[in-house]
Amino acid sequence: MTVNRRQMFAGTAACLAVVCGSPIRLSAQEASDGFTELKIARVNRVLLEGGKEAGLWTYNGVNPGPEIRVRRHGEVKVRLVNGLDEPTMLHWHGIRIDNAMDGSPLTQNPVGPGETFDYVFPVPDAGTYWYHPHIGSSRQVEHGLYGALIVEEETPPADMSELTLVLDDWLINDDGTINQETFGDIRMAAHAGRMGNWFTVNGESRPHLVAPAGRRLRLRLLNCANARVMNLQVKGAEPHILALDGQPLGKPRVLGTEPLQLGPGGRADLLIRRATEQITLANVNQANEPLEVAYIDREGAQDEKDTSDIAALPTNGLPQTMDVSGVTARKLVMEGGAMGGLTGAKLRGRDVDMREMVQNGMAWAFNGVAGITEEPFANLKLGETAVFDFINKTAWPHAMHLHGHHMLPVMIDDKPLITQDWRDTAVVAANSTMRVAFVADNPGKWMLHCHMLEHQAAGMMTWVNVEID
Ligand code: C2O
Ligand code: CU
């Protein structure tokens, strides 16, 4: 808990050869029956240099889990093998997936210890996605259970190399072990959630990565932290944002001096021009200090100046804008947390005061209800245009995530947004309202929750039903 910042960023890129294998690249058709196995196993792995083994949980022995790559419209076939002694399941974050394969408690039973579950689904959208457990998420994700799911464009852009950077922060003790006492801590859940003190990129502290100087570089950034909103800067380059949460921008735009904000669960694809300079990735913390988290050395020669335009990635078919005139917004009032003044809420059908909420591990409410309900927040007809107002009456930002769909933020605090980008995880600032719109075109039961995993566990969870008729 008291690993200080100097220690936090003192870790060198060196790591024991046996413990930091690079992610295994899997095509989705490996085993004889076409399934790729993701087997959860505990591994002995040192995070803090000179410290003890951290006690990680992994898919296939590596952190981050194997990067799964598949072509757009291809099929993912993954067999989850639960080697934990607690139940788990696998959620495919950001994929407009068949509901039965969504891997949430609304769509499947937990996969018990020693059990397996087969996930088979086509991928409709190219882009950068990820997978992680969806029960006991705060503990399971924090122990290292997550990985990238990369859906390649049907014709991948020819002129670029790419790097996937899976970002995480861990809350570790002075001896390098994952802090256990704070799991379920209600104070933490009522504040920002579990904020780590050890930052890793692809499982390593401040790694040095390489990319060719003679080609453009696509960086796929994934925020897999439990609760940290990352504010990322790229030094030594002027990147263009190509995609957010997997969905291509209609027109790539330059990431200027404002850091790129990625809530927990959020992703961004950046494009960096050919050049010989070293690139540094930094995260700007709350004290406004940019802390360097990774270095990318560009190797080889850069033949000529790279000045031509940056082309957009091929669209996944989502429209550039949405006409929401005449659509009544459904209001989701977010309340609670530290300094929130919430006095009570409905919990499992009963009105309880804040004291009783806290005794039950709850600190937050959506529309006066803590935790999931029988009834969905919204019953939508298939094909209906839906508009949600996320009304954040709390003193904290929240990363609102809707399963099975992407949402278009169209307005913040009554001001129409000039720049509109599709998101599956949208950060709603403290004391602010965000209006999002989407077409409910994917039937089934879809979770809608805050992706700060401790907020989710402490009440910020509801769901949306998309009915076929
Ligand atoms: Cu990435 Cu409901 O989760
Ligand atoms: Cu939250």
Side-chain angles (χ1 to χ4, degrees), residues 364-388:
W364 307 91
F366 284 164
N367 288 350
V369 182
I372 194 131
T373 46
E374 293 277 304
E375 286 302 307
F377 157 66
N379 248 314
L380 305 171
K381 297 258 172 291
L382 188 64
E384 175 178 346
T385 295
V387 175
F388 293 170

Side-chain angles (χ1 to χ4, degrees), residues 149-171:
L149 169 58
I150 306 299
V151 184
E152 298 169 344
E153 288 77 24
E154 289 161 286
T155 316
D159 57 341
M160 53 178 87
S161 63
E162 65 170 73
L163 280 174
T164 304
L165 302 183
V166 181
L167 315 178
D168 191 10
D169 69 340
W170 313 67
L171 185 58

Side-chain angles (χ1 to χ4, degrees), residues 1 51 121 246 252 309 336 439:
M1 281 288 284
F121 56 92
D309 283 355
V439 175

Side-chain angles (χ1 to χ4, degrees), residues 189 191-192 227 264 334 364 366 392 394 396-400 449-456 460:
H191 289 76
M334 308 151 72
W364 307 91
F366 284 164
N392 184 359
T394 81
W396 306 89
H398 300 287
M400 294 300 290
H449 61 88
C450 175
H451 217 286
M452 285 135 178
L453 301 176
E454 295 71 34
H455 292 178
Q456 175 191 336
M460 297 198 119

